[in-house]
Structure formats: structure tokens, C-alpha cells
Amino acid sequence: MNATVLSRRALLAASRGLLIGFSTEHPWIGTAQAAGSPDLPPPPPDELDSFIAVQKDGAVIAFFGKVDPGQGVDVPIGQIVAEELDVPYDHVQVVMGDTFRTVNQGGASGSTGIERGGISLRYAAAEARRVLIDRASIRLGMPAGELGTAHGAVFVLADPSRRIFYGDLTANGAFDTKLQWNGKIGNELVSRGQAQPKSPSEYKIVGRSIPRSDIRANAFAQQHYVTDIRLPDMLHARVLRPPVAGAVPLSVDDSGLATIPEARLVRLEGPGGGTVVAVVAPREWNAIRAMGAVKISWSQPAPTFPPQAQLYDHIRTAPVVTRQEPVKRGDVTSAFGTAARIISAEYEWPFQSHASMAGGCAVVDVRPGSATVYSGTQKPHFQRDGLARLLDLPSEDVRVIWTRGPGCYGRNDAGDVAMEAALLSRATGRPVRLQYMRDQGIAWDPKGPASIHRCRGGLNAQGEVTAYSFESKGFSRLNVNSAESDPRDTLPGQLLGMGQRPTQAFGYPGETYAFPAMLLAWETIPPLQQNASPLRTTHLRDPVGPQINFASESFIDELAAAAGKDPIEFRLRHVQNPRGVGVIRAAAEKYGWQSRPAATARGTGDVLTGRGVAYAERAHTFVAAVVEVEIDRRTGMVHPKRWVVAHDCGLIVNPAGLQRTIEGNILHASSRALLEEVAFDPHKVTSVDWVTYPILEIAQAPEHIDVVAINRPDQPPAGAGEASSRPVAAAIANAIFDATGVRLRRAPFTPARVRGALA
Amino acid sequence: MPQTVPLRVDGASHTLQVDDPDTPLLYALRDELGLNNPRFGCGLGQCGACTVLLDGRPVRSCVVPLSAVHGEVTTLAGLGTPEHPHPLQTAFADEQATLCGYCLNGWIMTAAALVREQPHATEAQIRDGLADVKCRCGAHLSIIRAIARVTAA
């Protein structure tokens, strides 16, 4: 193919590359971005140009259809691309989650950034290298087999001084080469060319601890967030939420705005009769002041929530909407009938909030026929589809530009705020920056579901598990969908009366214990309030994983204790997967675990020490966590002092990045296990700030986390963003039992609860 | 009625036109001066993301009214530059401290006062001195390591 003859599609793709430079400056900050730019269509997944561009100066741009929630996933993706292309890592820039420049690879989703998102980038980079060698072969008059690549150039193997730089082989950065696309979008999307990627034994860049550049930029005040986007003529907006769940505004008095310069009220009226009241002003502080100056008379609906103290009784007695039994093995009923002993226990987990570092923020410019959206969402392409539905625009005329926001570990309020900002921009005819206030970001964000978990185990005379059942009952983890592709999945859509579209989903333990007879089941119950509930439930980091594992791995410990066995030996007797066995053994060895049953070496002082283990499998990742915990009997304070985390996620692309990702998981999950519980009364959520929704403080951080990262180059890289969150609560609970002989079956393990349990 | 307020920030003098003299310092810095590193986290003085130094002492700019600011304000941009970095800036970059990074401003600005007053602070003193700064991603250990790079130096 003549590289200088380009299709229109390739020219457009090339211009996608030229839109950005290598400066850390974001070109859109403080400048007008042409809304829509309809001549730049969403990139097609079957074009190499949709994934890789090589510019004249040799700079490589990788277009990645996922985003970085906070662990720096762009670095390993850049490493994979640099590896396959044989260019230095620092020649590669990764563009993430801009719907005009990247294909829909699903956004942040299930820790699949590398596991799924890396696949097409790896194939595309390998294919790009193949095309570059082919072009050099024509130019040099040499067979491709006699050419090699290194440092961004194709060279003659027999005479390395004869070489052509990549930038001289691509006209305007484009390849104009087709890929084979599997026809899917989202996580399942795979596009590949003819080239075979490298074998892991050849890796020189993959496997290295290359640092993130954005942290350095941030330390020098040069890293921009979605909150920093300012467009010409932009209005700041704030919304007013109902004082109690389900209330609607009856009358609105905006006379108080007269004294606030240029502040005005905006009423959004929905098709179903719903209303959202907002205020806008050119100055942010005036918009915030205006919130307090508007007087609204609200309806007084009957309370829809039970008293919080009755939450778990409510779950126990609530009707079942859906029951599934995803795992049934053997004859469970008769296995329990012949068991020598039967142990049973029930565990409880509360509603939890994303409570992101700041409330959601989006900057949206809606024009006639198009919209440009700066959003910290985890799923920009699906959000684009939702905005297109909301605004009645074709999807290709809505551009969502993912821009880093406060850490986003699931379907947080970033999905709500973009929708609301879009409606306010359309209503005012101006770009709008909307940011939720602290109370809105905790009381009104979507929640992780509360649940109970019923466990039963039958032991034979040798203390082996012969019968096992695990049944969860709780609110659906998809009362609102996590994808934001429909306004009904968002708070403003529901407040405006657009309806809901809940689905029923929960989960079950993923650990492959080889119990001869077992049943794993889940049941969902109706939401406490159908529409626009501040307790609507959705995906929060490792959706329903921590609560299920808290129960299942606490219960394994209960079975081990009943059998009089050491908790690690007991697990090893029943775990099937050799990689699972590998992480459990590795964690025990690093910790210096001495064999004994739990709670058989209890101290007597005011401060007790215990050790606990928990094991987790999540998708293709295996984790064993061992923790040493101190419990102060007087205060009820639980302090996990030292962690050992053995982690096997296949091939490790960036060891230092993995280490910090695991540390973040352990601490975030410790916060959830020790402190986090959304408080509510019958009318409303009463967790509104960091006093009423406490999270982990630096004083409570462990002294040390030993990560034993098991690298398996023979296995594809799997996810690490969530798996090590999973075993944290059970490991701590098991350590508390070891220290005190008291079993905590309700999370979180707050000082008051621990004091009460020890009393 | 717009009012004129003088403000010294990062070594430069500004005269701001504000509608409300009690505008919190945070919004003056961000929206009038384009200094984005003090970040809105809570607006309640609970998280520290908005921290700046006022005459060298860390304050939560979201709850400090402009009318009460009479000294020299230092933001992260004024703490150091890539050419003349504050040691904490280098340490956070080298240690790769924080994850999403939204809270980074609060940690560095609070720690800047800590390491000036306690240049050889122990880990316990670091934890003590940084109580009440929030990080939602659980990056606390990397933050402690970064600050310890400076206090151990």
C-alpha cells in the first residue's frame, strides 16, 4: 500500500492524533473547545488508526477506551504499546476515555484495564510494527524478514546503520490499515491485526516499574482535574436536594437571589412531572450563596426507610424479588443429614457510600445539535449514550472527554452530575460547571448494597467439610445500572420522573473450595424507596465482593475453629486451585505463620493481639491476606498493624504500580471494614460529611504492608484494582476472634460495636 | 456591590474585585487567580484538600473568609517549581505518593509546615501532624514514606 494515499477516514484518524501535543498543559483549559466537532467521528474499532498513531517526530499516541480511576493504568498500557512497537516508553502518550478519540472499551470496569483493555492495544501495537516493517521493506528494497525494529526505527539486520524512523513511514501519523474486530463493544471488545504479539520472554519494557508522570505534575501544581475546567461564558451551578427522601418542591421563592450578583434560579421540569431546582451564577461562590438564599416549600412524604437499627430485620423479612442458585454441587440436603456436626452463622453488612474525595463535578457545553462534556465518569462512552438519550441527540454528536476527577471506584455520583449539568447547560444556553457539595456527595450518591449472609457447614468426624451452603439476601447491586447509558439510571433522571429500570443482581463467593456438597445462592429484595432514593444501590469497588467474602471467609474460620484446626491448614485442605494454594502458602511463609487453631493463644491485658487470614479469588486473580491486629479492650479500637498480602494476577506489567494499587485496596477496604456505615433515619440519610461518615485516618493506617507479588509470565495479566479489597474485612474479623475469642458478624467493626461485643 | 480586596499570593500582589468580602479564600484563589491546587473537598474544613499556607501556617481555605486574610498566602504552585522544588514536591513525585491525587495538595501543604517545624519528625510525629487530612484512595502509606524521605534526609 502506498502510505501517502490516505482514505478520508485515515485523515480524520490522523487528525485525532494531532489534536494533542506532548506538553502537560491541557489545551482545553481556559479555551473554547468547538462543541461537537461533527467532522471528527467516533473512531471505528476495525481501524488500526483508532488505537495507534505515530507522528512525524516519532511520538506514539495510544488511544485507550478505558480510564484511570486513580492507579495510573495508563502507564502499563503505555508499556505494553512501547514493548510491542519497540519504542522507548517515554515516546508513548496514552489518551484515555475521550469518546471522539477512543473506541468504547468499556471504561473503568471490573479491574479490566489491563486484563481486557490491554488486549486490543497489544494487538494494535504489534500490528503497527508489522505495517511499519512492511513499508520499510518496500522503501529499502529488502525482504521484511531481514529487517528489525528498535528505538522507534526499522533497521537492516545485517547493517543496522541502514534504518528508517517510524515517523518517516507514516503519513500524518496514520496507518490506514484494517483490523479484525469481534463486533463487540465495552470490555469484550477485541480488535487485532495479522501480527503476533511478542512472547513474554522477549519483554524489556513490560515488567518494569515505570513511574506515573501525573503524580510529579500534580506535586508541582500542573495536574488538572475535571473541577479545573473553565470554559468561556461558563456558569457555576448548584442543585438543591430534597430535605427528606421523596419530597418534591411545592413552591419556590427566589426573591433572596436579588442581592446576589447575577445569580438566578433554574427549574428543570421533567416529562413525568418531576422537578430539579438549581441555581446558577458566573461566580462559584455566588452560586453557593444562592443555594442558601432560595426558599423551597417541600412536600412531606411518609417515611420510607425503617429505623436503622431494624435494617437487618427488614432484610430478613423482606419479600424476595429474585433468587438464583449459581452453584449447586452434590446432594446438599442429605450431606447435611449425615454430617457429624453442623455449624451455622449469619453475617451483616451495611449500606456504604462511595464518598469520593469531593462531590461529583462535570462541565458541559450543550449547543444546538451537539454537546461537549468534561466528566470524571468511569464509563465515558456509556455516559455519552446516556447524554445523547437525555438530550435527544445522535450519540456521535455528543463528545465526552474523560478528565481526571476525585478517585472514582465504581458508579459514584460522576454519573449523576454530568446529566444534571447537561440539562442546566441546555436550559441556560451556556456552558455549565456543576459540582455537588459534600453532603450531596455522601447522602445522595449511589450506595453499595446492605445485605445479610447465611452460612451453614457440615463437618465429618475428621473435621472436614462435607456439606456447605452460603445464601446472601440483600438489595440488588444494580438497582441503578452502573453504565450511565440511560438517564433513568441517574439521580436527575429519576428526580425528573423519567422512571427507573432496576435489574436484579448480587453475587456469590468466588473461592474454589472443593466441598463435596455445596449450594451458593443469592436473593434480592425490593429497594426501600423505588424512585430517586438516596439509598439506591449500585456498584461500589469490588461490587458485593467485600461483604460476601467477609461472611464466607469468616465462616471458613468458624468451621476451622469448630474442627480445632489451624485456619491456614484448614483452607489448604479444601482449596482447589493451585494458584490459590500458592498465594496462601506464600502469605503464611512471609508472615511467619505458626500452626495453631485460632483463639488458642489469647492474651490477658488491655491491648490484645491476634492474627487472621482470608483468601479471595476474583475473576483471574488470587489473593491471600494475613493481618496482625491490635484491639484495645477499653476503647474498642481495632488497629490492623501489619499486613502480608500474597497476590497472583498473572503476568505483572508494572511491579511498583501493582504494589501501590494493592496498598490502596487494603486501606480503602480497611476503612470500609472498620468504619463505614451509611447512617439514616426513616426520612433521610444522615451521613452528610466526614464526621457523620468517618473514613480511615492516617493514624489508623497500618505500620507496614508486605506485598508478595507472584509473577506468572505464562499467564495473561489479570486485574488488580479490586481483588485485594476483598479479603480485608474477613482477615480483620478473624484476627479479632483470634485475639479475643469473640466473633464479629456485623460490619463495620467500630469502636462502639467492638466494645459492646467484648463487654 | 463589588468590593476591592488586596491579596498577597505566592509572592505577588493582587487586587481582587469580589461581590462578597466573606468569599472563602478557596474561591478567590481558584476562580479569580486560576490557582487550582487548593481543591474543594468538603467546604467544611474537614478534609484538608483546600489547604494553603497563611504566613507559613496551614489553613483550610474553604472556611477562611477573604476579609480575614491579612498575610502572605502560599499555594502549592508557590511552594516550589520543577527548577527549584520544595523537597516535599520531589519526595511525593519520587515516592509516587497518592493515587487519584485529588488530596495531594492537602498533604503537601500541611506537611510543609510540619517539616519546617519538625525537620526530623519521626513516623509517629508525621502521623500526628497530619491527622485530619483525608485520603479516600487509601494511599496513606505512600504519603508517610514521601514525608519520611524529607524528615530522614
Side-chain angles (χ1 to χ4, degrees), chain A residues 295-526:
Chain A
K295 302 282 178 268
I296 301 177
S297 168
W298 297 91
S299 70
Q300 296 182 312
T304 50
F305 304 151
Q308 189 175 357
Q310 292 169 23
L311 172 63
Y312 300 114
D313 288 336
H314 171 89
I315 295 174
R316 264 177 216 105
T317 55
V320 173
V321 179
T322 297
R323 178 181 168 92
Q324 285 196 10
E325 300 181 348
V327 174
K328 275 174 98 166
R329 181 191 303 157
D331 184 343
V332 177
T333 308
S334 57
F336 273 112
T338 56
R341 291 175 67 191
I342 293 175
I343 313 294
S344 52
E346 190 168 297
Y347 301 84
E348 298 159 336
W349 189 273
F351 289 109
Q352 293 186 326
S353 169
H354 292 263
S356 297
M357 198 53 208
C361 180
V363 181
V364 182
D365 187 5
V366 177
R367 306 272 177 99
S370 70
T372 304
V373 181
Y374 299 90
S375 169
T377 176
Q378 58 166 357
K379 300 185 199 298
H381 298 82
F382 292 119
Q383 184 176 79
R384 168 201 63 195
D385 298 343
L387 286 159
R389 286 195 173 93
L390 180 79
L391 299 168
D392 199 19
L393 289 171
S395 256
E396 57 266 29
D397 294 332
V398 177
R399 178 180 190 179
V400 175
I401 302 170
W402 175 80
T403 309
R404 189 177 293 285
C408 171
Y409 296 97
R411 167 49 173 96
N412 72 354
D413 54 3
D416 298 324
V417 75
M419 295 271 176
E420 217 153 18
L423 292 172
L424 291 168
S425 176
R426 186 171 68 178
T428 58
R430 290 169 67 170
V432 164
R433 177 189 182 280
L434 171 62
Q435 186 165 24
Y436 291 152
M437 303 302 282
R438 182 67 277 164
D439 58 333
Q440 297 171 342
I442 295 179
W444 285 93
D445 77 323
K447 304 297 187 292
S451 53
I452 62 167
H453 308 270
R454 295 169 173 144
C455 310
R456 241 177 132 220
L459 298 173
N460 64 15
Q462 290 75 46
E464 289 162 334
V465 182
T466 52
Y468 179 87
S469 72
F470 186 97
E471 300 181 76
S472 299
K473 186 180 185 187
F475 299 95
S476 171
R477 64 177 162 83
L478 288 174
N479 178 254
V480 292
N481 194 280
S482 66
E484 306 160 23
S485 58
D486 190 304
R488 291 172 292 178
D489 301 326
T490 71
L491 182 59
Q494 295 196 358
L495 285 169
L496 290 169
M498 295 177 184
Q500 316 89 29
R501 41 167 222 155
T503 53
Q504 302 305 313
F506 205 81
Y508 58 96
E511 293 70 46
T512 47
Y513 289 110
F515 303 134
M518 67 191 294
L519 167 71
L520 307 181
W522 57 257
E523 296 171 341
T524 52
I525 63 172

Side-chain angles (χ1 to χ4, degrees), chain A residues 59-385:
Chain A
V60 175
I61 302 173
F63 300 99
F64 186 44
K66 288 184 168 291
V67 304
D68 175 36
Q71 290 103 349
V73 74
D74 50 313
V75 177
I77 292 299
Q79 287 177 259
I80 288 167
V81 168
E83 183 71 68
E84 296 297 338
L85 261 173
D86 279 334
V87 299
Y89 169 79
D90 58 9
H91 286 200
V92 180
Q93 182 175 9
V94 179
V95 171
M96 287 184 280
D98 177 341
T99 62
F100 270 26
R101 296 187 204 156
T102 63
V103 304
N104 183 353
Q105 292 186 274
S109 173
S111 299
T112 58
I114 299 173
E115 179 174 328
R116 301 292 314 175
I119 292 174
S120 296
L121 273 294
R122 182 182 298 111
Y123 283 140
E127 180 69 357
R129 177 176 172 274
R130 187 194 68 77
V131 172
L132 291 165
I133 290 175
D134 269 6
R135 289 181 182 173
S137 157
I138 295 168
R139 192 87 72 82
L140 292 164
M142 301 276 296
E146 295 179 26
L147 301 175
T149 54
H151 302 294
V154 184
F155 65 94
V156 177
L157 289 169
D159 177 9
S161 69
R162 289 185 67 198
R163 60 180 180 173
I164 307 179
F165 286 100
Y166 288 171
D168 296 328
L169 292 166
T170 54
N172 295 323
F175 287 95
D176 205 11
T177 298
K178 282 282 178 191
L179 298 178
Q180 284 187 315
W181 169 41
N182 67 357
K184 298 179 175 170
I185 59 160
N187 291 343
E188 301 306 313
L189 182 149
V190 175
S191 296
R192 65 178 301 174
Q194 302 168 34
Q196 273 300 325
K198 288 182 182 176
S199 151
S201 62
E202 302 170 72
Y203 285 167
K204 299 186 189 75
I205 300 170
V206 167
R208 280 169 45 195
S209 289
I210 292 174
R212 294 166 61 173
S213 60
D214 63 309
I215 295 179
R216 182 168 296 275
N218 198 10
F220 288 103
Q222 294 165 343
Q223 172 67 31
H224 299 291
Y225 288 76
V226 66
T227 47
D228 306 335
I229 302 286
R230 295 185 185 87
L231 300 179
D233 209 28
M234 183 181 85
L235 292 170
H236 287 276
R238 290 295 183 277
V239 290
L240 289 92
R241 291 281 179 248
V244 300
V248 298
L250 300 176
S251 66
V252 180
D253 172 7
D254 64 352
S255 58
L257 299 185
T259 60
I260 302 173
E262 298 181 82
R264 63 190 173 94
L265 187 87
V266 182
R267 278 181 76 123
L268 302 173
E269 306 287 352
T275 301
V276 166
V277 180
V279 288
V280 296
R283 281 188 155 147
E284 187 169 13
W285 178 242
N286 286 342
I288 295 169
R289 282 201 290 164
M291 285 182 82
V294 174
K295 302 282 178 268
I296 301 177
S297 168
W298 297 91
S299 70
Q300 296 182 312
T304 50
F305 304 151
Q308 189 175 357
Q310 292 169 23
L311 172 63
Y312 300 114
D313 288 336
H314 171 89
I315 295 174
R316 264 177 216 105
T317 55
V320 173
V321 179
T322 297
R323 178 181 168 92
Q324 285 196 10
E325 300 181 348
V327 174
K328 275 174 98 166
R329 181 191 303 157
D331 184 343
V332 177
T333 308
S334 57
F336 273 112
T338 56
R341 291 175 67 191
I342 293 175
I343 313 294
S344 52
E346 190 168 297
Y347 301 84
E348 298 159 336
W349 189 273
F351 289 109
Q352 293 186 326
S353 169
H354 292 263
S356 297
M357 198 53 208
C361 180
V363 181
V364 182
D365 187 5
V366 177
R367 306 272 177 99
S370 70
T372 304
V373 181
Y374 299 90
S375 169
T377 176
Q378 58 166 357
K379 300 185 199 298
H381 298 82
F382 292 119
Q383 184 176 79
R384 168 201 63 195
D385 298 343

Side-chain angles (χ1 to χ4, degrees), chain A residues 659-726:
Chain A
Q659 160 100 24
R660 278 186 293 275
T661 297
I662 292 170
E663 285 184 2
N665 271 292
I666 297 298
L667 269 72
H668 186 195
S670 296
S671 180
R672 294 173 68 180
L674 295 173
L675 296 161
E676 295 186 31
E677 178 167 30
V678 172
F680 58 91
D681 67 22
H683 295 276
K684 62 186 180 297
V685 171
T686 55
S687 287
V688 293
D689 60 11
W690 296 126
V691 174
T692 48
Y693 193 78
I695 61 170
L696 195 83
E697 299 285 342
I698 194 166
Q700 298 162 296
E703 289 170 10
H704 192 66
I705 300 176
D706 275 315
V707 173
V708 184
I710 297 171
N711 189 23
R712 294 200 186 274
D714 59 318
Q715 297 290 330
E722 296 165 284
S724 51
S725 280
R726 189 168 280 196

